[in-house]
């Protein structure tokens, strides 16, 4: 890391997309300033740095903004290459494609279905739970017997998925179901990831996430 | 290219997503077998090769499937590296991020708005036209005075956008508007791209696309 590097992260504590970036920066040993955004009253800096999507997370590296969580993870991987930190994206073209494909799958299917679990009730919520479990089972199949998605080393796809774990307690409590019952191997993988400080220190307490969700539900009337 | 390489493309002639892959393969000088899919009666091969999304394009390289158009373009870029063909994705981490960011913007904003232009009528169609032009203007701003999006060389982001040109005639005819009037520099960029055989030979005749759209509108009742 160049001494003059200035790294700022516009983020929000309970965002799984922000967590992805925090995990990647921790894996690479990059120091940064964390700026907690109020998503109900976004800062001028956020709107200037991400005028198209107006969303966190945004990484500001020496004044230049990088946004969209997995694009930031890739940027971090490309900029901070050193012997002490592993590459997050595989070099092999096919493995690289597989990592990207499943990260995109998470952004679409896991993200869509998890929202239904905590914002809906009744049949809609049941449908959300089914879709959520189905998506996780496909990911469990992709993991197979490997310790991490890319093989022996923690990497890109692990970073894409593991932040959702911090929301599992809330999904299970609000949806009255057990994720472990359906996906025991995925839970083992989570426990393996949580042994890494880069993960455990970047993810908030699941009970705090649950309280945050209750606050969101009350504020926005998802009942 | 290894002599034993077998490359098959599951595609559909008028798909801009398929065109992206055709342009990338042509840029790299990769020979392949084109298999035209009937999207109303998808082949067993397509369903086997892309069981998650069940969509074209799918590139089958020595039996292994790669899907999602820009992931295929990146895969092609990573596999066929040689002195005769240029790199499609920039090496510089920030330029690489910018190429990905705008390609993703096209997949979201340009894609959503263009659909409204040719499937809707009245106010909905007007809204689609506005959003479509606004998205193209942002892209024109990103192009600036450069010959191609990445600078002096045709690359990743050019490939993401240029196939939409083959649908412009249909959008303009059905929406009764002129794209050139709003985005003259983008049209100059298209003319520059069309001078490349990799592009001109991979894109279908815009009048044929228009006939195809009329057929879709009639068949699916977008009126």
């Amino acid at each position: 890391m160049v001494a003059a590097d200035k790294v700022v992260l516009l983020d929000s504590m309970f965002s799984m997309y922000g967590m992805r970036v925090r995990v990647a920066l921790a894996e690479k040993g990059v120091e940064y300033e964390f700026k907690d955004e109020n998503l109900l009253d976004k800062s001028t800096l956020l709107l200037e740095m991400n005028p198209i999507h107006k969303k966190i997370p945004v990484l500001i590296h020496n004044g230049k903004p990088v946004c969209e969580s997995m694009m930031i993870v890739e940027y971090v991987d490309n900029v901070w290459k050193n012997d002490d930190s592993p590459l997050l994206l595989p070099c092999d073209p096919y493995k690289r494609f597989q990592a990207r494909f499943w990260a995109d799958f998470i952004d679409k299917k896991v993200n869509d279905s998890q929202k239904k679990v905590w914002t809906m009730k009744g049949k809609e919520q049941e449908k959300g739970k089914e879709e959520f479990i189905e998506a996780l089972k496909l990911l469990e199949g992709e993991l197979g017997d490997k310790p991490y998605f890319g093989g022996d080393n923690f990497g890109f796809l692990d970073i894409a998925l593991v932040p959702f774990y911090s929301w599992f307690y809330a999904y299970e409590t609000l949806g009255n179901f057990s994720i472990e019952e359906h996906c025991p191997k995925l839970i083992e993988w989570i426990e393996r990831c949580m042994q890494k400080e880069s993960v455990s220190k970047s993810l908030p307490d699941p009970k705090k996430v649950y309280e945050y969700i209750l606050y969101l539900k009350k504020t926005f009337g998802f009942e």
Side-chain angles (χ1 to χ4, degrees), chain A:
Chain A
M1 186 171 175
V2 182
D5 266 347
K6 194 183 172 199
V7 183
V8 177
L9 180 62
L10 309 185
D11 197 353
S12 178
M13 193 51 74
F14 301 120
S15 159
M16 49 278 257
Y17 302 104
M19 291 174 218
R20 288 170 167 178
V21 180
R22 281 174 252 160
V23 174
L25 290 168
E27 274 290 300
K28 294 283 183 167
V30 179
E31 287 177 26
Y32 62 97
E33 181 187 349
F34 180 92
K35 287 201 176 178
D36 201 27
E37 280 284 328
N38 175 357
L39 299 182
L40 299 179
D41 182 19
K42 293 175 184 177
S43 72
T44 313
L45 184 65
L46 174 58
L47 301 177
E48 267 173 21
M49 290 288 125
N50 191 358
I52 303 288
H53 300 307
K54 303 176 179 69
K55 280 182 186 171
I56 57 104
V58 179
L59 187 84
I60 311 173
H61 181 208
N62 297 332
K64 290 196 289 187
V66 185
C67 53
E68 299 289 277
S69 64
M70 294 315 291
M71 293 186 201
I72 306 176
V73 171
E74 181 184 357
Y75 178 80
V76 168
D77 199 29
N78 287 334
V79 169
W80 288 280
K81 283 184 175 166
N82 58 58
D83 296 340
D84 299 333
S85 63
L87 276 176
L88 302 175
L89 264 163
C91 293
D92 172 74
Y94 198 74
K95 287 189 178 163
R96 206 176 173 92
F97 155 69
Q98 287 175 309
R100 282 201 196 289
F101 176 84
W102 288 105
D104 177 69
F105 174 83
I106 293 167
D107 282 355
K108 289 170 180 160
K109 307 286 177 175
V110 176
N111 184 48
D112 284 358
S113 56
Q114 63 87 20
K115 270 186 203 153
K116 289 183 197 161
V117 175
W118 67 270
T119 61
M120 306 284 190
K121 283 215 159 183
K123 273 190 188 169
E124 290 290 340
Q125 189 188 44
E126 285 307 311
K127 202 172 158 232
K129 278 157 62 177
E130 264 173 45
E131 287 169 4
F132 182 68
I133 289 295
E134 192 191 353
L136 291 186
K137 277 190 176 172
L138 283 167
L139 285 159
E140 196 177 57
E142 177 60 20
L143 177 66
D145 292 319
K146 303 189 293 290
Y148 298 106
F149 279 97
D152 289 333
N153 297 311
F154 179 83
F156 191 77
L157 186 51
D158 303 295
I159 291 178
L161 185 60
V162 77
F164 285 87
Y165 164 64
S166 64
W167 286 56
F168 277 15
Y169 173 76
Y171 302 148
E172 292 184 319
T173 308
L174 292 164
N176 193 27
F177 70 126
S178 156
I179 296 169
E180 188 169 14
E181 198 177 282
H182 298 282
C183 306
K185 284 204 163 182
L186 207 66
I187 300 295
E188 282 173 27
W189 162 82
I190 286 171
E191 284 163 3
R192 204 171 300 127
C193 293
M194 286 295 279
Q195 282 167 21
K196 297 177 75 71
E197 272 203 3
S198 61
V199 179
S200 60
K201 290 199 169 173
S202 302
L203 269 53
D205 176 354
K207 301 243 161 117
K208 297 269 182 212
V209 174
Y210 176 62
E211 283 168 26
Y212 171 69
I213 291 184
L214 291 183
Y215 161 77
L216 287 182
K217 285 172 77 74
K218 207 173 155 185
T219 310
F220 297 103
F222 301 129
E223 295 285 2

